[in-house]
Amino acid sequence: MLQSMMQLRSDTAGDGRFGSPRGNRKHLGVDFLCVPGQNILSPVTGKVSKIGFPYPPPSIYRYIQISCTDEYGNEVQHRLFYVEPLSSIARIDTEVIGHKTIIGYAQNVSIRYPGAKGMQPHVHYEIRRVLLASKEYEYCDALFSDQIIRTNIK
């Protein structure tokens, strides 16, 4: 996903590991340290199914969702937050993006959390498997696929 050695974020603002506490909830992804502006690569082969904003307007921060299908036919959504998408992938569901293709550039999320919080620049990566039969998502740990948190689809 990142072009350099992947290191997890752990700073005064929190721990970037999957399942880490976030108040009354758990962290549903993994935070990888980055250098703002560095290339971000697609973690899988799939289609860009969404380009969105993780925060309400006005927000400069973006996320990219790349969807593929697992061996059981479930949709799997790979979401990368704090990534400015390349203009060439701005069209949704039109073409397949290859594994390790550059999809965008790391944004500097630490600007959103200045001062005492001390959050380091990072890319948040989460994997959601859509389980339509049970109306749930499975959030899968990007590093250890056997760790799963289930939530209701909203």
Side-chain angles (χ1 to χ4, degrees), residues 104-124:
Y105 304 98
Q107 295 180 297
N108 189 355
V109 70
S110 66
I111 294 169
R112 182 175 167 86
Y113 299 97
K117 294 201 176 212
M119 182 178 287
Q120 295 175 291
H122 65 277
V123 170
H124 171 88

Side-chain angles (χ1 to χ4, degrees), residues 8-16 31 33 117-122:
L8 293 181
R9 179 181 73 85
S10 183
D11 52 37
T12 57
D15 191 321
D31 293 343
L33 292 175
K117 294 201 176 212
M119 182 178 287
Q120 295 175 291
H122 65 277

Side-chain angles (χ1 to χ4, degrees), residues 41-61:
L41 310 179
S42 176
V44 295
T45 296
K47 287 189 176 183
V48 175
S49 54
K50 189 170 188 180
I51 296 176
F53 296 92
Y55 302 112
S59 179
I60 62 169
Y61 300 103

Side-chain angles (χ1 to χ4, degrees), residues 94-106:
T94 56
E95 61 184 63
V96 172
I97 302 294
H99 179 233
K100 296 187 178 180
T101 298
I102 297 173
I103 57 172
Y105 304 98

Side-chain angles (χ1 to χ4, degrees), residues 1-2 6-9 16-19 22 27-33 40-45 62-68 76-83 99 103 122-128 139-145:
M1 177 184 65
L2 301 174
M6 294 191 296
Q7 278 187 296
L8 293 181
R9 179 181 73 85
R17 289 180 293 173
F18 181 79
R22 293 288 189 272
H27 188 233
L28 298 176
V30 178
D31 293 343
F32 293 106
L33 292 175
I40 303 299
L41 310 179
S42 176
V44 295
T45 296
R62 305 299 301 271
Y63 74 87
I64 301 170
Q65 177 175 290
I66 301 171
S67 295
C68 57
V76 180
Q77 301 167 341
H78 296 260
R79 293 176 145 205
L80 297 111
F81 288 69
Y82 318 128
V83 176
H99 179 233
I103 57 172
H122 65 277
V123 170
H124 171 88
Y125 175 39
E126 64 185 42
I127 302 170
R128 301 189 324 171
Y139 285 85
C140 308
D141 188 329
L143 299 176
F144 306 100
S145 61

